[in-house]
Amino acid sequence: MESRGYRWSRRAIGIVSLLLVAATVILGLWITPPDVVQGQLVRLIYVHPPVAWVAYLAYGVTSIGSILYLWKRTRNLKWDLLAAASAEVGVVFTGLTLITGSIWGRPAWGVWWTWDARLTTTALLFVLYLGYLALRRVPADSHQRAVRSSIAGLIAFIDVPIVHQSVVWWRTLHQGATVLNPSLSPKIHGEMAMTLLLGFITFTSVYAWMLMHRYQIAILEQKVLDAELDQLIEERRREPDSQYGEARPANDVGNIDQPSKV
Amino acid sequence: MWRDALLIAAKDLRIEFRSKVTLNLILPFAFVVLIIFAFALDTSPGTLQKVAPGLFWLAVLFSSIFSVDRAVAIETDDNAGDGLLVYGVDPGGIFLGKVVSVFVQLFLLEIFLLLGVVILYGPKIGGWLLMLASAFFATIGLCAAGVTYSQLASGSRAKQTLLPLLLVPVVSPVLLAATKAWQDAFAVTSSLGDPWLRLLIVFAVVYLALGAIFYSSILEG
């Protein structure tokens, strides 16, 4: 079962996330002024870049989880489950990035979609990790699934810069970095910058909360699988005509590798 | 490892030579793809000439999915791959052998396919050196990533559906870079210094290294 500390920290992060979301909504929709050029449309800036950041963060966590599982010294199924949970949340946030980007793109660029470098990379990233999640659904034992998906997760992460470079050379239309530009002088109003920063904190907190929930569900799913397997083994042992001989008492599970009666 | 790789490549090519799957199935499929592209696009010579490199590499990409699937299926059917491991064959050698065997098949297929493109689409071809070099590295990249992912997806009942979903996004830089390199070659605007060729080399080296490192874990996992 989950520890009390984990449960409390999850709840605390949930409450903090809720408050942060409320603050972001109020600041983003009412307190901050509309932009000189983009008007009300600028309010999407408090959602779109933070959501994209969380998607990259989630895939980063997936890669770390994958490395920790593949490295034999730190091998533990929990790392694989953490990688999977983070990838799932990452796919949700990548989807949100694409949707919010499209909503922004339609009035700003006049099209829902354009073959810009970042858009194309993000779309490919979305499909790459959908593939990762599909691979996880392939029936296999826990270790086999963990090894395969860790490798796939890691390769996908290594592939991202190559994909990005190729589409950057192909075409670039997306606006340059606003805050972290090469001269490090933010071209953004103070109030708006604060709300944007709050957006980043809010969505990171929401990510942490979703990750903790998804991870806990993954742990429970794994426990159910293990319990089902144990039950099946027990039932097999109880069958009178099984190669393990006559029925045994319920509490005598024994060792499957060393049957006492053959 | 190299000796094992050569043995595996020779074995796979011998099987291929006898079964003739590439010749009888994959090559005709690639030609069908070339023909239906013309149906989907405008058949005026100008359009087809312009998009010929992209269509060529798309046809190669589709064909490579079948080739790598088959190369791995040879070992997964009847658990033949387990037998190889029991015999002490190096997993890295198995990987490289598979890559070499699929490379040879795909490269031959590309020669025939290029003839098809020249006849059906009529592009002006030039810059042979860049064409050859980019085809060489693009095919290595496709084979290395393909064999790795095909082994990853093996064991799934939905493998035929899963493999393209896994592989196509990963090899999208190869499709893009090879197409651009061939466009540059056709226009004779650059030679071996083409940046797209560099990207293809990076991709090929990265995926050969990743495959060689991880293949044993995938097999043993």
Side-chain angles (χ1 to χ4, degrees), chain B residues 101-118:
Chain B
S101 132
V102 181
F103 174 84
V104 171
Q105 293 170 48
L106 272 186
F107 208 77
L108 288 173
L109 182 125
E110 284 166 22
I111 293 169
F112 285 108
L113 213 54
L114 182 63
L115 281 174
V117 165
V118 170

Side-chain angles (χ1 to χ4, degrees), chain A residues 32 188-196:
Chain A
T32 51
I188 187 167
H189 187 272
E191 229 168 47
M192 291 158 93
M194 282 301 293
T195 314
L196 178 59

Side-chain angles (χ1 to χ4, degrees), chain A residues 128 131 138 144 148 155 159 169, chain B residues 149 152 154 162 166 170 207 221:
Chain A
L128 264 174
V138 173
Q144 196 178 27
R148 287 180 175 208
I155 293 179
D159 199 48
W169 282 351
Chain B
Y149 272 90
L152 272 174
S154 67
L162 182 62
L166 287 172
V170 169
Y207 274 86

Side-chain angles (χ1 to χ4, degrees), chain A residues 65-130:
Chain A
S66 300
I67 292 169
L68 289 173
Y69 186 82
L70 285 176
W71 198 23
K72 284 185 178 157
R73 278 190 192 179
T74 50
R75 181 163 288 178
N76 189 323
L77 203 58
K78 287 180 176 180
W79 293 124
D80 174 58
L81 297 177
L82 178 73
S86 191
E88 214 168 289
V89 181
V91 166
V92 171
F93 276 87
T94 314
L96 284 173
T97 307
L98 291 170
I99 293 167
T100 51
S102 272
I103 295 170
W104 197 348
R106 177 68 181 159
W109 298 330
V111 283
W112 291 108
W113 182 263
T114 178
W115 294 102
D116 157 69
R118 276 190 230 182
L119 267 77
T120 314
T121 308
T122 312
L124 281 170
L125 202 62
F126 185 61
V127 194
L128 264 174
Y129 281 90
L130 274 182

Side-chain angles (χ1 to χ4, degrees), chain B residues 148-159:
Chain B
T148 310
Y149 272 90
S150 189
Q151 188 66 52
L152 272 174
S154 67
S156 162
R157 281 184 208 147
K159 190 190 169 193

Side-chain angles (χ1 to χ4, degrees), chain A residues 70 124 127-128 131-132 134-135 138 144 147-148 151-152 154-156 158-159 162-163 166-167 169-170, chain B residues 148-149 151-152 154 156 162 165-166 169-170 172-173 176 180 195-196 199 203 207 210 214 217-218 221:
Chain A
L70 285 176
L124 281 170
V127 194
L128 264 174
Y132 168 86
L135 184 66
V138 173
Q144 196 178 27
V147 168
R148 287 180 175 208
I151 292 169
L154 205 56
I155 293 179
I158 294 168
D159 199 48
I162 303 176
V163 170
S166 64
V167 285
W169 282 351
W170 186 39
Chain B
T148 310
Y149 272 90
Q151 188 66 52
L152 272 174
S154 67
S156 162
L162 182 62
L165 175 64
L166 287 172
V170 169
S172 55
L176 194 53
K180 288 288 171 188
W196 295 106
L199 193 75
F203 190 92
Y207 274 86
L210 287 174
F214 289 133
S217 301
I218 304 171

